Amino acid sequence: MARVPGTSYFAELARYPGNEREPGVVVVRPEGSILYFNVDHVRDSLFAILRAQPDAPRQVILFMGNVPHVDFAGAELLVHLREDFRARKIEFGLAETHGEVPEALQRLGGNQSAGLDAANQTVDDVLRRWKGSGVTTSGE
């Protein structure tokens, strides 16, 4: 996904090649629920997309607007992805989480899902928070 020129909206780059990429940022939109039987597929698909990028990303955002449900295994996957990306010095965030998704993350308890369980953040909100944190200044 990439920014629609002149807006804060993001849409498919493949369908709308005029959209503007955010340097160092990869936005991926899973389609459908993330459940115990498809967590491996979701993870493998995400990493395949990242391997296909010309440069290593500094920020990965999952656009969760099309994900109506996340079970315990799906919530664990999201937390593990954040930990894996952190170890690689890559920021990870969720955008457009709704309904049961933030609730599933909150059920993990403790600090595991802290920050991931924030509902209704747009891709632009996640990007602004990341840019405001100063993380983007290293290596630029």
Side-chain angles (χ1 to χ4, degrees):
M1 296 180 71
R3 185 181 302 277
V4 176
T7 73
S8 63
Y9 298 106
F10 284 72
E12 296 253 351
L13 186 59
R15 290 181 70 191
Y16 304 101
N19 288 353
E20 302 166 345
R21 296 188 126 221
E22 289 283 333
V25 177
V26 176
V27 181
V28 178
R29 182 177 62 194
E31 297 287 337
S33 296
I34 303 177
L35 306 169
Y36 71 95
F37 60 83
N38 71 355
V39 292
D40 292 335
H41 172 72
V42 172
R43 183 192 60 244
D44 294 347
S45 296
L46 173 61
F47 283 106
I49 290 168
L50 296 178
R51 281 191 303 274
Q53 300 301 308
D55 299 310
R58 295 181 317 233
Q59 165 84 21
V60 174
I61 300 171
L62 288 188
F63 177 88
M64 303 290 284
N66 294 337
V67 179
H69 184 72
V70 171
D71 67 4
F72 187 77
E76 283 187 318
L77 169 69
L78 297 173
V79 169
H80 289 136
L81 285 171
R82 179 176 61 186
E83 292 168 359
D84 185 24
F85 286 125
R86 248 188 214 156
R88 299 170 190 230
K89 306 265 191 276
I90 299 170
E91 289 294 312
F92 177 71
L94 302 178
E96 300 294 343
T97 59
H98 303 285
E100 295 179 18
V101 176
E103 293 168 8
L105 287 161
Q106 290 167 0
R107 282 193 297 271
L108 288 177
N111 288 331
Q112 288 184 330
S113 65
L116 289 178
D117 58 356
N120 302 317
Q121 294 185 98
T122 66
V123 172
D124 203 46
D125 292 337
V126 175
L127 282 172
R128 273 185 286 168
R129 190 178 71 243
W130 174 59
K131 288 177 180 178
S133 71
V135 173
T136 60
T137 59
S138 62
E140 288 189 341

